[in-house]
């Protein structure tokens, strides 16, 4: 018998692969409503939205130092989320994970 994490692992991993992957994972999880997958879909969606919103602001600085720090920050969040999904763990990404869970709580 599979655990909830094992059942939702594929959707959770797919969610971190671009914003399109998050959309695909959302529809993959729409029938089963797996809580593990939903947790990671919320995390991934938050990371992607943060990338686009902050990316616009970072672009205004026109500085390789600011841009580099931004890309490293987003990469760390994405890799952390992906690794926890692979390890079948439900850990929030650093700094913003709690907010992602709260803001996107309607995603089940």
């Amino acid at each position: 018998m599979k655990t909830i994490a094992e059942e939702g692992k594929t959707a959770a991993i797919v969610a971190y692969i671009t914003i399109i992957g998050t959309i695909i994972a959302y529809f993959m999880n729409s029938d089963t409503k797996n809580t593990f997958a939903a947790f990671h879909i919320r995390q991934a969606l938050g990371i992607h939205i943060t990338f686009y919103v902050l990316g616009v602001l970072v672009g205004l600085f026109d500085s390789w130092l600011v841009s580099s720090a931004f890309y490293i920050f987003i990469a760390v969040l994405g890799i952390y989320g992906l690794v926890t999904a692979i390890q079948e763990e439900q850990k929030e990404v650093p700094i913003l994970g709690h907010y992602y869970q709260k803001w996107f709580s309607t995603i089940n």
Side-chain angles (χ1 to χ4, degrees):
M1 184 173 204
K2 284 187 168 184
T3 64
I4 292 172
E6 288 173 331
E7 290 174 0
K9 185 175 182 177
T10 302
I13 291 170
V14 168
Y16 290 101
I17 304 170
T18 74
I19 190 72
I20 302 300
T22 305
I23 295 166
I24 291 169
Y26 176 79
F27 286 109
M28 286 172 65
N29 195 45
S30 64
D31 291 336
T32 59
K33 303 285 188 206
N34 183 287
T35 56
F36 178 78
F39 174 87
H40 283 285
I41 291 167
R42 289 189 294 268
Q43 294 288 290
L45 180 61
I47 293 168
H48 294 304
I49 289 174
T50 300
F51 172 76
Y52 292 114
V53 171
L54 287 182
V56 170
L57 298 173
V58 168
L60 297 175
F61 285 98
D62 195 30
S63 164
W64 69 269
L65 188 62
V66 174
S67 296
S68 299
F70 167 70
Y71 282 113
I72 290 169
F73 174 69
I74 293 297
V76 166
L77 293 183
I79 292 167
Y80 183 86
L82 179 62
V83 168
T84 59
I86 291 169
Q87 293 176 345
E88 298 177 4
E89 296 176 350
Q90 227 172 295
K91 292 182 181 176
E92 295 173 346
V93 296
I95 302 169
L96 298 171
H98 172 71
Y99 297 106
Y100 297 156
Q101 291 302 313
K102 193 164 57 171
W103 294 336
F104 306 119
S105 61
T106 57
I107 296 175
N108 298 332

